[in-house]
Amino acid sequence: MGDVANSSVGHHAKNQQHGANRAGGFGCTLPELRSLMELRGAEALQKIQETYGDVSGLCKRLKTSPTEGLSDNVTDLEKRRQIYGQNFIPPKKPKTFLQLVWEALQDVTLIILEIAAIISLGLSFYAPPGEQSDACGNVSAGAEDEGEAEAGWIEGAAILLSVICVVLVTAFNDWSKEKQFRGLQSRIEQEQKFQVIRKGQVIQVPVAELVVGDIAQIKYGDLLPADGVLIQGNDLKIDESSLTGESDHVRKAVDKDPMLLSGTHVMEGSGRMVVTAVGVNSQTGIIFTLLGASGEEEEKKEKKAKKQDGAVAMEMQPLKSAEGGEMEEREKKKANGPKKEKSVLQGKLTKLAVQIGKAGLVMSAFTVVILVIYFVIHNFVIGGRTWLSNCTPVYVQYFVKFFIIGVTVLVVAVPEGLPLAVTISLAYSVKKMMKDNNLVRHLDACETMGNATAICSDKTGTLTTNRMTVVQSYVGDTHYREIPDPNNLNPKILDLLVHAISINSAYTTKVLPPEKEGALPRQVGNKTECALLGFVLDLKQDFQPVRDQIPEQKLYKVYTFNSVRKSMSTVICMPDGGFRLFSKGASEILLKKCTNILNNNGELRSFRPRDRDEMVKKIIEPMACDGLRTICIAYRDFSAGQEPEWDNENEIVGELTCIAVVGIEDPVRPEVPEAIRKCQRAGITVRMVTGDNINTARAIAAKCGIIQPGEDFLCLEGKEFNRRIRNEKGEIEQDRLDKVWPKLRVLARSSPTDKHTLVKGIIDSTIGEQRQVVAVTGDGTNDGPALKKADVGFAMGIAGTDVAKEASDIILTDDNFSSIVKAVMWGRNVYDSISKFLQFQLTVNVVAVIVAFTGACITQDSPLKAVQMLWVNLIMDTFASLALATEPPTESLLLRKPYGRDKPLISRTMMKNILGHAIYQLTVIFTLLFAGEVMFDIDSGRNAPLHSPPSEHYTIIFNTFVLMQLCNEINARKIHGERNVFEGIFSNPIFCSIVLGTFGIQIVIVQFGGKPFSCAPLTIEQWLWCLFIGIGELVWGQVIATIPTSQLKFLKEAGHGPGKDEITDEEMAEDEEEIDHAERELRRGQILWFRGLNRIQTQMEVVSTFKRSGSFQGAVRRRSSVLSQLHDVTNISTPTHVILSAANPTSAAGSES
């Protein structure tokens, strides 16, 4: 695919004559359009002029109209799809179930078990030659008596069977996780729609349905879904860094650089483009196809493409400016930072699992050694026998039995259910959060949210309804507290006002009649502009006729709104040859540029600075104190003489005449004050960051409950905020910032940079004992950096731009602040679910390991057999993780403070529970082991020979053990020392069915398990005793709850997060080497595309690691969007603080060479 893209330009000139016939009646072939899209700037213009005359010539060849668009005829659209392809990039094939099974089999513990089982199987079929001689001692006595020698294979087979069970469960879990991930991905992709013109109507179509020849409308904040050529543009600036790596925005214009590429972001302005390449033929698609299927192909293709692209690339890419060089340096430094950081929870769990695993390994090795030594001493020293060659198989069988006991101790000790529990808990939460209007894009964001200590929220749309309405106005020297009667206004003023509002707003913004009767009119497009258009309708006027009279293509010049200007202006030609400029914007900014104002007769009177101050005091401040946003509407006429210098914007937008000032209200959402109260109760500080003026912001903050009278808080404007945190040189100082942010509640008139600075400052701050975990909400393109920097970024699903969604971790599908509170609840629930599981799991581990170990040392045989251990392991790990990880969250989760990053997973209360229950269980089991035969009046099962039949004695021990675990599973539902462990148990059907199901299977195993499970059937009386002892666990739980934790000073917490300087993942180092190697290649002037490739690969690798290990890296990104982050490889990481101390000096040194 890549090769077609790079074929030389000359080659197409020859083909052009055949083009018409070949492209099914269209005047352009696919290769021709592809090669066209590879050109930039002047070259592209030249090519368009040579080949097509101009852009409208291109449209003619593609059989489309620049104004009317395509005809929306189904056969025509289908034909275009066949010739030019669909706008869809096929995803990588998912792993098959068998591949996942193979991956699950790679688990070391399972491999050891498999080997042990196979040896055991092999030996059971091996009969020593001749009769058993007495020389081998009583080693095999009892085997023949029972005629059980043939059954020796059963244990090996049963172990293999249970291994198969574990593998299938793991593989199935991975498979369903992958399926969910793909479902989520396709859902996000289907939701993305784009505006196109068909049959002269602007309609929204799903991105996948765009075809070559479509006329697409583009505006500020869009992520372009296909390649195209600009037909008409207003002040259009594009961020092409995702493709070229250049961070400066590129200005696009029909006569300068009309080429628009897929995967790039519109940062300013608006326009229309004709789509020329879609799907795999677009620039994004070409990169994806270059990625290829397998790694080897990738390398081959890369090398090939590099050779070919070398030349093209050098032309393609503008020379680096000095600034660019600095950026590169910065990038280089960035690349040396940690690449894949685990989420907080992941780090703590990995560390804990490793510690437990080590302890288990030591115990199991110890068990085997003791068993072997005991056997050798007993037989060869005390018994005084010699080792006979024909007895070897018998002895080896013993050693294998010891080895299997050792391995089972290890299997039970290693909590392999942990990743499973995390996986299930997160996957379950994400599915349920969907119902709570949270679309989670990166799974670990869900858990990080539970630790959040601060939320920086936008005002518009999140805390408020984002249905703007004009409620007050100042027109013709009169302040109207409600909408004025149009008859009271001077007709000249009214006409100017209607024109100023209708023309000087995006034509895509409209107020449409309501869908249902009695509903509010539908607002489409920018909400502030909708409010102004609504004002026109309230004045019994209409904006549509004005727009029909002056259509968008007749607008002479448009200065679009951006965060620097804070105003928008449009120039139209007047009939007398002069020009008129309409401007609207924030009143405090625009009034400074006004020199005149219209009085009540519609005549100009001069407007001096002191008039302005009076107006601010009497009109604007009172409006702002009511929580209104004030917007000034003004105009200016230019006489017909000479044409003004339009690029000199400050001169043009000056000496204006003020027509009116309006106050726009955006009412607070009714559910927000309660949601904010919940946050504050849960120990989360809510801060409001808005572009509005300080009075409006303060009024809204008070209505929401962010600030309360009598509290010590700060409300600052962006300017004042910057003055306080910067030193004389204008640099930001962390200690100055630390004085500001703890009390800051409202930041008004803030720029996107201020938002980013605030978030970064709070995260980097070291003044509290805990590092702050910050969540940020954003909807605009300019919020991207802050969303990325935050620990959790929330983007608005309805009002949010594609750029914001791209940078976010969670998308709020209803744009509502109260959904964030639900996310906090789910996040805390994930954390608690995992703690519950740990509390349960560790009790089982401690007990099983000690029983197996001491049993083996004292009676030369573990009371719990290998297969029984594996069953215990299965219920304890797999089923318990399902049961405890799916507990639904309760409101009580919001009554405690956040845990913080350093809080250990296992609190002292949990430690008390683990040890307390372990003591009860060990006491019971050892009593049964050494006195069980007396209590139940049965034969002792201790010191049984090799292939003896299962004993009732050991079956009772096994049964009691499992029933105690089942009751303890109910105890584990509460981890903060609550008394009522049954509370809400029926709201979790999964939990109930697992406990009852496990109990049912246990009955079957004991009564009918026979030899494979080493079980002898029990009587009703024995069953009742086992059950009675099991239920004793619940009573004992109450006893433990009575003991105050504060008295038990000796208890230690466990499972702290990884230390500051620890590298939590060896892969990080390898990863770096890879990336650095690629970076070094790129320094040699190869194209930046390959930086892109390398980074997508890294991301793909991370995605695949996440799928393999069940550890959720922050890399689960939407595939189609990977491109938009190519230039910033650091977003693979979740913002946790893992500092690499000299993290791979070789690669760092290499990158500088």
Side-chain angles (χ1 to χ4, degrees), residues 313-494:
M314 294 314 286
E315 298 162 25
M316 221 172 73
Q317 187 189 342
L319 284 167
K320 291 239 165 47
S321 56
E323 218 173 348
E326 276 169 32
M327 283 297 295
E328 288 288 303
E329 282 303 306
R330 234 171 290 152
E331 285 262 300
K332 202 192 309 188
K333 280 185 197 134
K334 233 191 255 173
N336 289 344
K339 287 297 169 293
K340 287 192 243 172
E341 296 177 354
K342 299 190 171 177
S343 67
V344 189
L345 185 63
Q346 212 65 52
K348 291 180 183 175
L349 282 177
T350 314
K351 200 169 166 192
L352 193 66
V354 169
Q355 288 166 345
I356 296 173
K358 281 180 187 162
L361 198 62
V362 171
M363 288 293 272
S364 62
F366 213 48
T367 312
V368 175
V369 171
I370 287 182
L371 283 172
V372 172
I373 293 175
Y374 186 95
F375 174 80
V376 170
I377 291 176
H378 186 75
N379 272 314
F380 302 117
V381 181
I382 302 172
R385 294 193 187 83
T386 48
W387 185 295
L388 297 173
S389 57
N390 61 346
C391 293
T392 306
V394 182
Y395 295 143
V396 171
Q397 252 178 321
Y398 258 97
F399 289 143
V400 169
K401 178 182 164 187
F402 297 153
F403 181 61
I404 289 179
I405 291 173
V407 173
T408 35
V409 171
L410 178 63
V411 170
V412 177
V414 174
E416 64 274 32
L418 269 184
L420 197 68
V422 183
T423 306
I424 293 173
S425 183
L426 283 172
Y428 172 78
S429 305
V430 166
K431 214 169 183 174
K432 292 284 189 210
M433 282 169 82
M434 209 81 147
K435 291 188 181 135
D436 282 341
N437 303 311
N438 283 297
L439 182 84
V440 181
R441 293 186 59 223
H442 306 148
L443 285 159
D444 48 4
C446 161
E447 159 250 317
T448 314
M449 206 46 220
N451 286 325
T453 54
I455 298 176
C456 295
S457 173
D458 263 4
K459 174 180 76 71
T460 314
T462 317
L463 299 173
T464 57
T465 56
N466 203 8
R467 264 203 77 89
M468 304 274 202
T469 37
V470 172
V471 286
Q472 295 188 22
S473 52
Y474 177 80
V475 190
D477 289 346
T478 320
H479 184 178
Y480 297 96
R481 298 279 172 177
E482 56 249 9
I483 302 294
D485 180 351
N487 303 325
N488 297 346
L489 296 178
N490 181 298
K492 181 186 167 192
I493 297 184
L494 188 58

Side-chain angles (χ1 to χ4, degrees), residues 541-560:
Q541 307 294 315
D542 193 358
F543 56 87
Q544 204 50 54
V546 179
R547 288 181 170 184
D548 295 341
Q549 185 191 340
I550 304 177
E552 202 171 1
Q553 23 310 359
K554 283 198 184 162
L555 301 181
Y556 193 79
K557 171 89 183 147
V558 178
Y559 301 97
T560 49

